[in-house]
């Protein structure tokens, strides 16, 4: 259990390398090779990865060990994970924190950061992409650092509280610096710190889910939590899109800046409100499988 956050952090670090590539490097590739060629290449790479997983599935240690605990049907696993989530107060509290944190991050880094930088500072697309990339780099560094911070389950709650509160504080500073149009390195550096705190948080929330799962059922429980987390991403991205359009309906560059300030002021407020869940979380150092 004490190594779970470490391996989660390493996995997230490698996985979030894609988020780094998807901003400035992708912008360069689109300009250089065109959208059609870039997306054909991405599709081919994904098919190659999928084929590799199918070909190498016989080398899965769970399968070769004859472990039947993970061989339940997909629907059964999904039903079981949903049942546990809805019955567990701690899992629901973690879902509030996780969903709000990840949804807000994806609305910013994954959708609007480049356009917001362009609107607020009048910089080029390439320059805005570079500053936006600092957010995803921060997530990677946070994932890596979180792998080494507070590994034991008895420190899990402290790690979650500190990283979540720091994430909320970073949102406040980032929003104020963009709203006040402070020199662009200021929101750039704060954006890195915002991503860093998010990265540490995700390591320990993932490990916390494993702490609360019955042995051999951590994967299905994490899958159920992840489903709801990505629903929150859909809500945040579509919701911010609606608000930006609504607030900038009067047209003009100044209206768009005000739209971003208002929209992400609401996002910042939601992140702060979600922190109300923290005082109600219990320690994760108790016996595995106690999800109440």
């Amino acid at each position: 259990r004490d190594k779970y956050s470490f391996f989660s952090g390493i996995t997230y670090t490698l996985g979030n390398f894609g988020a780094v590539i998807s901003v400035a490097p992708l912008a360069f590739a689109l300009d250089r090779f065109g959208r059609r060629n870039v997306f054909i290449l991405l599709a081919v790479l994904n098919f190659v990865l999928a084929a590799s997983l199918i070909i190498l599935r016989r080398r899965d240690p769970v399968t070769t060990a004859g472990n039947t605990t993970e061989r339940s049907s997909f629907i059964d696993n999904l039903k079981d994970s949903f049942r546990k989530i809805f019955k567990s107060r701690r899992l629901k509290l973690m879902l509030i924190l996780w969903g709000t944190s990840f949804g807000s991050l994806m609305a910013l880094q994954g959708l609007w950061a480049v356009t917001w930088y362009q609107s607020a500072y009048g910089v080029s697309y390439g320059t805005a992409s570079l500053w936006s990339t600092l957010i995803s780099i921060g997530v990677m560094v946070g994932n890596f650092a979180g792998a080494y911070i507070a590994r034991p389950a008895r420190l899990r709650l402290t790690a979650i509280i500190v990283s979540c509160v720091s994430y909320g504080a970073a949102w406040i500073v980032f929003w104020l610096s963009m709203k006040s149009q402070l020199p662009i390195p200021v929101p750039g550096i704060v954006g890195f710190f915002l991503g860093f705190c998010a990265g540490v948080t995700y390591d320990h929330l993932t490990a916390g889910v494993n702490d609360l799962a019955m042995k051999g059922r951590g994967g299905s429980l994490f899958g159920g939590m992840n489903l709801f987390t990505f629903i929150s991403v859909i809500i945040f991205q579509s919701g911010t899109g609606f608000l930006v359009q609504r607030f900038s309906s009067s047209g003009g560059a100044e209206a768009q800046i005000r739209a971003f300030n208002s929209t992400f002021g609401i996002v910042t407020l939601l992140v702060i409100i979600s922190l109300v869940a923290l005082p109600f979380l219990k320690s994760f150092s108790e016996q595995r499988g106690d999800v109440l």
Side-chain angles (χ1 to χ4, degrees):
R1 292 175 66 196
D2 290 348
K3 292 182 178 179
Y4 197 90
S5 62
F6 170 77
F7 287 107
S8 295
I10 297 302
T11 303
Y12 277 136
T13 301
L14 295 174
N16 279 308
F17 183 64
V20 175
I21 294 175
S22 70
V23 188
L26 180 62
F28 170 80
L30 290 172
D31 289 340
R32 179 68 177 81
F33 304 109
R35 182 177 299 178
R36 182 172 182 270
N37 292 330
V38 169
F39 278 90
I40 287 175
L41 175 62
L42 291 175
V44 169
L45 287 175
N46 277 282
F47 276 119
V48 170
L49 286 171
S52 301
L53 289 171
I54 293 172
I55 293 169
L56 298 175
R57 69 188 185 281
R58 298 184 187 280
R59 296 172 64 178
D60 182 347
V62 174
T63 303
T64 55
N67 190 332
T68 59
T69 60
E70 295 290 340
R71 290 189 177 183
S72 304
S73 73
F74 170 77
I75 298 299
D76 288 341
N77 281 333
L78 203 59
K79 287 180 179 177
D80 183 61
S81 65
F82 287 166
R83 212 165 20 242
K84 285 183 170 61
I85 291 169
F86 290 126
K87 285 174 60 179
S88 169
R89 182 184 184 187
R90 277 190 286 182
L91 288 176
K92 288 197 287 283
L93 291 170
M94 290 167 67
L95 200 54
I96 291 171
L97 295 166
W98 204 342
T100 306
S101 172
F102 194 56
S104 59
L105 183 73
M106 288 298 98
L108 177 64
Q109 182 268 325
L111 192 59
W112 293 113
V114 174
T115 310
W116 195 5
Y117 270 114
Q118 285 183 287
S119 299
Y121 292 97
V123 295
S124 67
Y125 180 78
T127 301
S129 297
L130 287 172
W131 287 111
S132 300
T133 303
L134 283 179
I135 300 172
S136 46
I137 292 175
V139 176
M140 276 188 66
V141 176
N143 290 150
F144 188 76
Y148 293 91
I149 295 172
R151 285 198 210 176
R154 60 185 172 79
L155 298 177
R156 190 88 63 232
L157 181 59
T158 301
I160 290 173
I161 291 174
V162 172
S163 58
C164 283
V165 171
S166 299
Y167 178 75
W171 258 107
I172 293 173
V173 178
F174 183 83
W175 177 72
L176 288 174
S177 63
M178 292 291 283
K179 185 175 184 294
S180 304
Q181 295 182 327
L182 297 179
I184 198 168
V186 176
I189 294 170
V190 176
F192 173 86
F193 183 70
L194 186 152
F196 177 88
C197 297
V200 175
T201 300
Y202 303 152
D203 287 354
H204 288 282
L205 285 172
T206 303
V209 171
N210 185 68
D211 290 338
L212 299 176
M214 297 294 292
K215 186 175 182 180
R217 308 299 295 181
S220 60
L221 188 58
F222 172 76
M225 294 283 285
N226 215 28
L227 176 63
F228 288 109
T229 300
F230 274 92
I231 289 174
S232 75
V233 172
I234 295 171
I235 293 171
F236 268 88
Q237 290 195 336
S238 59
T240 52
F242 170 80
L243 290 173
V244 168
Q245 186 177 27
R246 181 73 177 271
F247 290 140
S248 61
S249 57
S250 59
E254 289 298 322
Q256 188 174 44
I257 294 174
R258 288 195 301 270
F260 279 120
N261 293 339
S262 299
T263 298
F264 283 96
I266 294 172
V267 171
T268 302
L269 182 62
L270 290 174
V271 171
I272 300 305
I273 291 173
S274 72
L275 300 181
V276 174
L278 287 173
F280 300 98
L281 274 179
K282 296 180 182 178
S283 171
F284 292 83
S285 60
E286 297 120 14
Q287 184 178 358
R288 176 192 291 279
D290 176 19
V291 295
L292 298 178

